[in-house]
Amino acid sequence: SQQGEEDPQALSIQEGENATMNCSYKTSINNLQWYRQNSGRGLVHLILIRSNEREKHSGRLRVTLDTSKKSSSLLITASRAADTASYFCATAYSGGSNYKLTFGKGTLLTVNP
Amino acid sequence: NAGVMQNPRHLVRRRGQEARLRCSPMKGHSHVYWYRQLPEEGLKFMVYLQKENIIDESGMPKERFSAEFPKEGPSILRIQQVVRGDSAAYFCASSPTGTSGDTQYFGPGTRLTVL
């Protein structure tokens, strides 16, 4: 079964720097989504990118998708202390049961003020 | 438009007791999904329901776990005779349709602790 895997597992940066997180997966997908989870809280949907898209922007977020390499990256520009959270990628399989999201273990981002 | 609501937010049970977790989807959403998150792990799919129907329960343990989404009222995830290994965060998500193009919106989760 496919599994999204984020890299790195943990990332610590200074406020104002950019943060890049990567996600790899194993099988063909319909779309890939990124979520944020603050400690002990629920998941907040950040962005969805479809398999026929290569790049998408939302505010300070930029997501890329390379289906040939089965990988995606999330870039957060000009980071803020409030961006401190765990970031998960989730993939929707392109075959049957494509409503199931498969999550990786996440990247823990710490933005130091 | 209120988001996905879950209650209780925290639930403590002793081994052998029953746990009932409730989820009210976003207004206009008739598709509900339950996921479980163990400590330091990502979320794992458990079950997908539409009103009065279980569509896919392939991620749910065969014993002690059940889920429903009645015509009226919230979706319920029920865990009978809880064991320590059931301690986890349980998240509910909803979407307007069941297609993969939909965004799934998550609730705040219920954190279950089994003593």
Side-chain angles (χ1 to χ4, degrees):
Chain A
S1 61
Q2 67 175 43
Q3 181 177 12
E5 294 187 3
E6 292 88 348
D7 160 54
Q9 290 188 333
L11 180 62
S12 181
I13 60 174
Q14 295 299 122
E15 211 166 20
E17 293 181 337
N18 295 343
T20 300
M21 288 159 273
N22 303 298
C23 168
S24 60
Y25 56 92
K26 295 178 181 174
T27 60
S28 57
I29 60 171
N30 271 348
N31 64 63
L32 185 145
Q33 305 181 46
W34 284 91
Y35 288 85
R36 184 186 73 220
Q37 183 180 36
N38 290 83
S39 180
R41 308 291 293 274
L43 275 76
V44 174
H45 183 261
L46 296 176
I47 200 164
L48 181 153
I49 186 165
R50 301 185 194 285
S51 59
N52 61 354
E53 297 176 310
R54 291 297 166 257
E55 188 170 310
K56 207 161 182 180
H57 297 254
S58 177
R60 294 184 295 113
L61 305 180
R62 182 172 79 98
V63 169
T64 62
L65 180 64
D66 187 336
T67 53
S68 66
K69 295 181 179 177
K70 292 186 169 54
S71 67
S72 172
S73 67
L74 170 67
L75 168 68
I76 304 174
T77 60
S79 62
R80 306 167 182 167
D83 294 329
T84 294
S86 291
Y87 291 81
F88 295 90
C89 70
T91 49
Y93 181 45
S94 64
S97 305
N98 56 18
Y99 43 79
K100 283 183 195 178
L101 293 182
T102 301
F103 286 82
K105 293 185 178 181
T107 292
L108 176 59
L109 173 66
T110 302
V111 181
N112 302 299
Chain B
N1 187 9
V4 178
M5 310 285 283
Q6 289 188 251
N7 67 81
R9 296 290 304 276
H10 299 274
L11 182 61
V12 179
R13 285 287 178 266
R14 295 191 181 278
R15 280 180 297 170
Q17 291 185 319
E18 178 180 287
R20 279 185 178 238
L21 289 62
R22 287 177 290 278
C23 167
S24 296
M26 284 180 72
K27 188 176 180 180
H29 289 190
S30 58
H31 298 256
V32 165
Y33 315 82
W34 286 92
Y35 292 82
R36 178 165 66 176
Q37 184 180 32
L38 295 171
E40 311 298 326
E41 296 282 328
L43 279 70
K44 297 286 194 291
F45 170 84
M46 298 181 74
V47 62
Y48 162 38
L49 309 103
Q50 294 180 34
K51 283 285 188 181
E52 300 184 275
N53 288 303
I54 297 174
I55 307 302
D56 184 343
E57 55 183 350
S58 59
M60 204 150 66
K62 295 287 187 289
E63 298 179 352
R64 302 188 297 108
F65 285 71
S66 62
E68 63 177 13
F69 189 15
K71 187 176 180 181
E72 301 291 338
S75 175
I76 306 284
L77 179 67
R78 183 182 177 205
I79 311 172
Q80 295 178 290
Q81 299 174 343
V82 295
V83 301
R84 290 219 171 105
D86 297 332
S87 294
Y90 292 83
F91 291 94
C92 165
S94 73
S95 67
T97 75
T99 62
S100 69
D102 263 358
T103 295
Q104 292 184 18
Y105 294 91
F106 283 79
T110 293
R111 277 150 186 84
L112 172 66
T113 301
V114 179
L115 301 177

